[in-house]
Each structure stands twice: as structure tokens, then as C-alpha cells.
């Protein structure tokens, strides 16, 4: 229920802003707006002010602005006018350039929302892990994985990944998602020597479940050793004598800098006893180095998935994060860069969908979006949720600009064609095109929704 409520609130904001864009420009152009609706279907409640009925409808997965002349704009739908313009307030009575502006206003409002959201986060509290934007230094390479088969070693640096030279970890993650189950160019530096090879971006599960762990690459999240924050009772770390604030300098002679790297190493060793070198600060402030022997135990992670891994049983101090509070001008620049990167990624995904380099199964319906919103809302800080909202707003804006009939972009395409022809497209032809496009879009959404439904736990448990 909380997921449904969170989805309704977020999508409600996106649709409200989108429709307000259409509404505001239509009013400025002197077009009479008859209905401003959040949601489709049966009217639940609303009120009338002037010529416009403002309402909330039963199906909260979109909305529309209905203008005089029977032209309806929506977050997902357009319907062509069928009545000849006899009223100066009719949509079709206005110049084509004004109608194009009205169609552009919805997506443009979504872009403005995305820019505003990230500007606000950057000004108030922008918290990101430091390693994300840094060089792609590896901390540990898991055995028998796609990465290990390239010859890369723990501590090596990735210097080329797909099309990116000297990538950051953020870029490595993005390029991986764009190339699931494909082979890409891959280069790394080991002992000062560059090796140019190829990497298969293997992903056996759903695209949503992909992480760099699948490839066997664990990023170096900090330069300092892993530090113990607290211990789990009756687990190997507590029994071996580890204490809060201890730093794990090395394990079996290997220097690792994050919990994911430690866990991957423990799984590779399959429960063998490990030799730790611990740095401990004494009461007088002096640092002591102590050797400790510990045997990992197969156990579940508290609050995690019900799967057992080899663990030592302690909670670590989190890797360092950057907290920025930027002035307005710099916050706008940071927001512009964030949204520019997101927009280019969305456009590239669309391009790869048409070239069949990205599967349609990687797309998400409101069900998948709702799950992501719920997860982001549970994360600490505002950045995960606001960043996701910004990305959804960009998606909505770009999707509606596609030159597909019944979308804003389709309306713009028809108007441009009519401008070039200097006459209107035959109304019957236009209506048939809209009807076919509407059926195709419904079938597409049904497929995406079905794909998301099959990923739910209810259906996953039914699989052999």
C-alpha cells in the first residue's frame, strides 16, 4: 500500500506539471481549456472556474487537458479534433506555431521540473559517495567471473570501458547497463602496463538486478582500511576478539577497502580460516598492530535477502561521502550536468531499442517504477528519491516528444507536415493513424506491465 501511495504522489506531481505546461501556454495563446484532469476515466471530484472544469479522475496513471475543438492533450495521449473551428477560442482556430508551442509546453515543463528538483537538492543537501565520480580503481576481482577472465587483478585501474576513455565508476555502471549480455572493449593498467581486451557484460537475471558484482569487479570505495563500527554477538568476528573502531589492514596479506570486497573474497575462499592484520588504537592513543585468526561462518545478513554467505559478523563504518550545499548559480550548473547526462542516457537507450541492442524487457511500467520509488524513499537522504523523480520527469518529457501519433511529438509532426504542405492533412486519414497508434501503444504498455508482473515475488516463487 505504501508503494501505491508513493507512486500515486510522484506520478501525480509529474502529470500535474506536464498538464500545467499545456494549460498555461494554451491560456496565453487565448485557447479555451474545457477540462484539466489528473487521471483518466470516471470523474471523482472537482470544481469549475471560468470556462475550465478542474477534476481528479479514477485512473491516476496520466491526465489530460481538453481544449475547445475536441483536442485533448495528456501525459500519454492525444486525440485529433473533428469539429471545424468556428470559435476563436478553439484549438484548431489558432496558428500552427501556437499549437506547436502548446504541444511542446508539456514536455518542456517536465524538463524544467527535473532541473528545479536537482537544483534544490544541490543547494540544500547533495550527498554522494566520493568514489562514484573518481577513477575506476578496482579493489577486488572475484574468481571465475567475466572480469577475472580478462586478466585484470585486484588493485588495477580500468582505463577504457566500451566507448569511454578513463571512465569513472558512474560511467562504468551506465555503460554496463547499456550493454547487458554484450561484449565491449575493455582496457586496464596492471603494474604500469596497459592491456587492451574485451569484456562480456554478463547478466543472468533481470536488468534491474544487475550490479558490477555480476562481472566480478568490486570498486575501490575508499583509500583507508575497513573499520569496524559494531559487532554481531556470537559471530566469528566477536569470538576472534575484534572490537569496535578496529581497522582491518589486510586479510591473508590482501589489502581490501570495502565490505563488498571482503565478502567477495570470503566467498571465493569458501569458509577457509583467514589471517587478519588489525590496527587498534590503545587507551593512550597509540596504534597497535595485531594478528587475528578467524574462520568465516555461513550465515544470513540481518535485514538482507534470505540467502547465506560466508561472513565475519560485523557492521562497518560507511565509506566517505561528499555533502555539498552549492550557491544557486553553481547548483543550476550541477543540475544541468546531471539532467544532461540523464537525458543523453535515455536517448541512447531509445536508440538501442530500435537497433535491438537493448531488450524491451528492460523497460518498466508503473509497477516497476513504483518499486524503484519505494526503494528510493527508504534510502537515507533526499538524493535517491529526488534524483529518481528528476529522471522520471526527464523520461516523461522525452517519451512525449517521440514522433508517435497520440503523443505530443506526434501532434508536432502532423503540424510540421501541414505547415510544409500549407494545408491540413485529411481528417479521416489522421483519425485512422491515431486509432492504429493508440492500439499499438496499448499493446506495448500491456507487454511492459506483464513483464513487470512476472518479476514480482508472487510469480517468481511459482517458477521452477
Amino acid at each position: 500500500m505504501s508503494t501505491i501511495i508513493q507512486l500515486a504522489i510522484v506520478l501525480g506531481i509529474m502529470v500535474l506539471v506536464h498538464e500545467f505546461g499545456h494549460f498555461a501556454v494554451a491560456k496565453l495563446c487565448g485557447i479555451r481549456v474545457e477540462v484539466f484532469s489528473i487521471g483518466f476515466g470516471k470523474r471523482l471530484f472537482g470544481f469549475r472556474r471560468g470556462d475550465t472544469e478542474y477534476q481528479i479522475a479514477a485512473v491516476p496513471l496520466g491526465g489530460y487537458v481538453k481544449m475547445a475543438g475536441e483536442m485533448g492533450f495528456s501525459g500519454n495521449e492525444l486525440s485529433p479534433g473533428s469539429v471545424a473551428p468556428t470559435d476563436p477560442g478553439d484549438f484548431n482556430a489558432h496558428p500552427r506555431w501556437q499549437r506547436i508551442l502548446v504541444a511542446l509546453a508539456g514536455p518542456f515543463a517536465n524538463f524544467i521540473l527535473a532541473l528545479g528538483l536537482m537544483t534544490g537538492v544541490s543547494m540544500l543537501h547533495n550527498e554522494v559517495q566520493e568514489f562514484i565520480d573518481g577513477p575506476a580503481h578496482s579493489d577486488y576481482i572475484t574468481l571465475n567471473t567475466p572480469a577475472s577472465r580478462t586478466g585484470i587483478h585486484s588493485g588495477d585501474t580500468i582505463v577504457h570501458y566500451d566507448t569511454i576513455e578513463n571512465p569513472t565508476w558512474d560511467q562504468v555502471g551506465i555503460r554496463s547497463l547499456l550493454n547487458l549480455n554484450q561484449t565491449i572493449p575493455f582496457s586496464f593498467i596492471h603494474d604500469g602496463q596497459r592491456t587492451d581486451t574485451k569484456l562480456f557484460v554478463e547478466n543472468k537475471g533481470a536488468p534491474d538486478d544487475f550490479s558490477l558484482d555480476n562481472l566480478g569487479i568490486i570498486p575501490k570505495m575508499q583509500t583507508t582500511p575497513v573499520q569496524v563500527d559494531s559487532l554481531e554477538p556470537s559471530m566469528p568476528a566477536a569470538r576472534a576478539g575484534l572490537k569496535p573502531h578496529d581497522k582491518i589492514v589486510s586479510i591473508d596479506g590482501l589489502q581490501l577497502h570495502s565490505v563488498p570486497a571482503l565478502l567477495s573474497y570470503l566467498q571465493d575462499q569458501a569458509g577457509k580460516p583467514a589471517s587478519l592484520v588489525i590496527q587498534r588504537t590503545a587507551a593512550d592513543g597509540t596504534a597497535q598492530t595485531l594478528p587475528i585468526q578467524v574462520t568465516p561462518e555461513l550465515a544470513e545478513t540481518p535485514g538482507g535477502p534470505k540467502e547465506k554467505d560466508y561472513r565475519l559478523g560485523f557492521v562497518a563504518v560507511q565509506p566517505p561521502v561528499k555533502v555539498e550545499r552549492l550557491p544557486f548559480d553553481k547548483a543550476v550548473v550541477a543540475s544541468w550536468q546531471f539532467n544532461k547526462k540523464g537525458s543523453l542516457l535515455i536517448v541512447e537507450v531509445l536508440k538501442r531499442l530500435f537497433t535491438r541492442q537493448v531488450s524491451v524487457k528492460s523497460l518498466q511500467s508503473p509497477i516497476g517504477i513504483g518499486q524503484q520509488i519505494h526503494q528510493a524513499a527508504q534510502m537515507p537522504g533526499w538524493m535517491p528519491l529526488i534524483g529518481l523523480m528528476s529522471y522520471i520527469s526527464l523520461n516523461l518529457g522525452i517519451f512525449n516528444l517521440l514522433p508517435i501519433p497520440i503523443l505530443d511529438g506526434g501532434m508536432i509532426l502532423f503540424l510540421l507536415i501541414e505547415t510544409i504542405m500549407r494545408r491540413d492533412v485529411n481528417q479521416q486519414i489522421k483519425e485512422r493513424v491515431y486509432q492504429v497508434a493508440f492500439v499499438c501503444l496499448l499493446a506495448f504498455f500491456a507487454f511492459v506491465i506483464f513483464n513487470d508482473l512476472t518479476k514480482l515475488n508472487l510469480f517468481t516463487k511459482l517458477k521452477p
Side-chain angles (χ1 to χ4, degrees), residues 13-32:
I13 293 171
M14 301 296 145
V15 171
L16 177 64
V17 169
H18 183 94
E19 300 310 330
F20 181 78
H22 292 312
F23 172 84
V25 175
K27 285 286 191 180
L28 287 173
C29 292
I31 299 170
R32 189 171 70 257

Side-chain angles (χ1 to χ4, degrees), residues 14 17 108-120 335-336 338-339 343 386 389-394:
M14 301 296 145
V17 169
F108 185 74
N110 284 121
F111 299 145
I112 294 296
L113 174 63
L115 187 67
L117 287 171
M118 293 309 300
T119 298
S335 176
W336 172 264
F338 177 91
N339 286 292
S343 298
I386 298 300
M389 288 178 65
S390 176
Y391 192 67
I392 292 172
S393 193
L394 290 174

Side-chain angles (χ1 to χ4, degrees), residues 77 105 138 144 157 228 240 333 363 425 442:
E77 181 181 349
S138 67
N144 302 316
T157 300
V228 177
V333 172
L363 301 180
V425 175
L442 279 181

Side-chain angles (χ1 to χ4, degrees), residues 91-133:
F91 179 81
N92 293 308
H94 285 255
R96 291 191 182 95
W97 68 267
Q98 288 189 357
R99 286 181 271 169
I100 290 175
L101 284 181
V102 173
L104 284 171
F108 185 74
N110 284 121
F111 299 145
I112 294 296
L113 174 63
L115 187 67
L117 287 171
M118 293 309 300
T119 298
V121 168
S122 298
M123 291 178 66
L124 297 176
H125 189 86
N126 185 20
E127 183 174 307
V128 294
Q129 290 183 301
E130 289 184 354
F131 79 92
I132 291 291
D133 294 322

Side-chain angles (χ1 to χ4, degrees), residues 240-272:
L242 263 73
K243 296 181 179 180
H245 310 299
D246 283 352
K247 295 179 180 179
I248 302 176
V249 177
S250 67
I251 178 169
D252 293 336
L254 188 64
Q255 294 182 348
L256 301 178
H257 305 83
S258 68
V259 170
L262 277 171
L263 286 172
S264 293
Y265 177 77
L266 294 176
Q267 309 323 303
D268 283 345
Q269 298 304 305
K272 294 178 181 177

